[in-house]
Amino acid sequence: MKLKKIAALVLGCTVVLSGLAGCKGKDDKVYKVGICQLTQHAALDAATKGFRDALTEKLGDQVSFDYKNASNDVPTCSVIVNRFVSDKVDLIMANATSPLQSAFAATEDIPIVATSITDYATALDIDDWTGKTGVNVTGTCDLAPLDEQAAMIKELFPNVKKVGILYCSAEANSKYQAVKIAEYLTALGIESKEFTSSGSNDVAMVTGAACAECDVLYIPTDNTMADCTGIIDSVAEPAGVPIVAAEVGICKGCGVATLSIDYYSIGYAAGEQAYEILVNGKNPADMEIGYAKELTKQYIAARCEAFGITVPDDYEAVEVE
């Protein structure tokens, strides 16, 4: 009798321990997540890494990723996400606006978690914005305070007369940033003008036109411009026109300063949202869009020295890689 009681006790403990070992997900399911990233550059790469790290930390081997990069080609985004839909993935992660728009056009059923999105209302054409999409989409935002970025331009260049806003006309969220920062610059008594490229082929020409008219250039979080920082720098630097960028990756490529968010952090937060959807059954339509909590004023020391810019003490120096 005592042996039977001991055996039962051992069996019970085994069951409890087994249950504890499998507590990552609600069962042994392996969740399939498709990741569509618009292009390869530092900011988007960091966001994708944060997303994958968050889900891997929470789910371990209960999550698998199908990562695809669209090489900054919008039609390719559609091909990628339609493949994810055909493969019946459990969730789509859209990294940047074009992947989000393509994913939303491809499915109303599969949950979509996005990141590196400037404005969800603009991206999804939502009129009555409440902080939630109301559809199968949630995610995190990469918008830094544009009023503070305008103030940074004034702080670094107190005598600036005209700012050229350089972006790609094909990126709706860049247009949103251009319009908003122009309003803040006007309030500071600074004239501004938009200079838009249609793609990478005319970036050098557009940059040259902007440098010919303006004292300072501003580049929002624009994926085309992020891909072309070397071209931009080769035009703006000889022209003697400094650039303030909306994020640190672009700043390293061609800028003098930025007020930037941490893309790894917004990607990680998006991964936490994905976990809540996959494991806890949260509805993305009811989930608040997440925003960056930490902002850092950063500058490129060598470029600031070359332009004779006096950098305040609250800026952090970053190295060009």
PDB file of all heavy atoms in Angstrom, residues 79 101 162 206 209 225:
ATOM      1  N   VAL A  79       3.535  40.380 -53.405  1.00  0.00           N
ATOM      2  CA  VAL A  79       3.852  38.976 -53.692  1.00  0.00           C
ATOM      3  C   VAL A  79       4.175  38.236 -52.399  1.00  0.00           C
ATOM      4  O   VAL A  79       3.692  37.118 -52.160  1.00  0.00           O
ATOM      5  CB  VAL A  79       5.040  38.888 -54.673  1.00  0.00           C
ATOM      6  CG1 VAL A  79       5.490  37.430 -54.829  1.00  0.00           C
ATOM      7  CG2 VAL A  79       4.662  39.474 -56.028  1.00  0.00           C
ATOM      8  N   GLN A 101       0.402  48.104 -45.943  1.00  0.00           N
ATOM      9  CA  GLN A 101      -0.681  48.311 -46.897  1.00  0.00           C
ATOM     10  C   GLN A 101      -0.918  47.074 -47.750  1.00  0.00           C
ATOM     11  O   GLN A 101      -2.065  46.708 -48.018  1.00  0.00           O
ATOM     12  CB  GLN A 101      -0.359  49.524 -47.780  1.00  0.00           C
ATOM     13  CG  GLN A 101      -0.384  50.838 -47.019  1.00  0.00           C
ATOM     14  CD  GLN A 101       0.133  52.004 -47.827  1.00  0.00           C
ATOM     15  OE1 GLN A 101       1.010  51.850 -48.676  1.00  0.00           O
ATOM     16  NE2 GLN A 101      -0.394  53.207 -47.573  1.00  0.00           N
ATOM     17  N   LYS A 162      15.690  79.092 -44.662  1.00  0.00           N
ATOM     18  CA  LYS A 162      14.841  78.195 -45.453  1.00  0.00           C
ATOM     19  C   LYS A 162      15.322  76.755 -45.319  1.00  0.00           C
ATOM     20  O   LYS A 162      16.516  76.464 -45.478  1.00  0.00           O
ATOM     21  CB  LYS A 162      14.867  78.617 -46.924  1.00  0.00           C
ATOM     22  CG  LYS A 162      13.881  77.877 -47.818  1.00  0.00           C
ATOM     23  CD  LYS A 162      13.880  78.479 -49.224  1.00  0.00           C
ATOM     24  CE  LYS A 162      12.869  77.806 -50.129  1.00  0.00           C
ATOM     25  NZ  LYS A 162      12.853  78.415 -51.492  1.00  0.00           N
ATOM     26  N   VAL A 206      17.285  65.865 -57.247  1.00  0.00           N
ATOM     27  CA  VAL A 206      16.394  66.558 -56.315  1.00  0.00           C
ATOM     28  C   VAL A 206      17.197  67.148 -55.155  1.00  0.00           C
ATOM     29  O   VAL A 206      16.940  68.272 -54.714  1.00  0.00           O
ATOM     30  CB  VAL A 206      15.302  65.589 -55.804  1.00  0.00           C
ATOM     31  CG1 VAL A 206      14.478  66.237 -54.700  1.00  0.00           C
ATOM     32  CG2 VAL A 206      14.390  65.162 -56.956  1.00  0.00           C
ATOM     33  N   ALA A 209      18.839  70.315 -56.297  1.00  0.00           N
ATOM     34  CA  ALA A 209      17.888  71.431 -56.374  1.00  0.00           C
ATOM     35  C   ALA A 209      17.605  71.991 -54.986  1.00  0.00           C
ATOM     36  O   ALA A 209      17.516  73.212 -54.791  1.00  0.00           O
ATOM     37  CB  ALA A 209      16.599  70.962 -57.040  1.00  0.00           C
ATOM     38  N   MET A 225      14.989  57.476 -49.071  1.00  0.00           N
ATOM     39  CA  MET A 225      16.116  58.316 -48.688  1.00  0.00           C
ATOM     40  C   MET A 225      17.119  57.539 -47.827  1.00  0.00           C
ATOM     41  O   MET A 225      18.330  57.741 -47.936  1.00  0.00           O
ATOM     42  CB  MET A 225      15.620  59.561 -47.943  1.00  0.00           C
ATOM     43  CG  MET A 225      14.746  60.467 -48.790  1.00  0.00           C
ATOM     44  SD  MET A 225      15.580  61.036 -50.283  1.00  0.00           S
ATOM     45  CE  MET A 225      14.209  61.123 -51.435  1.00  0.00           C
TER      46      MET A 225
END
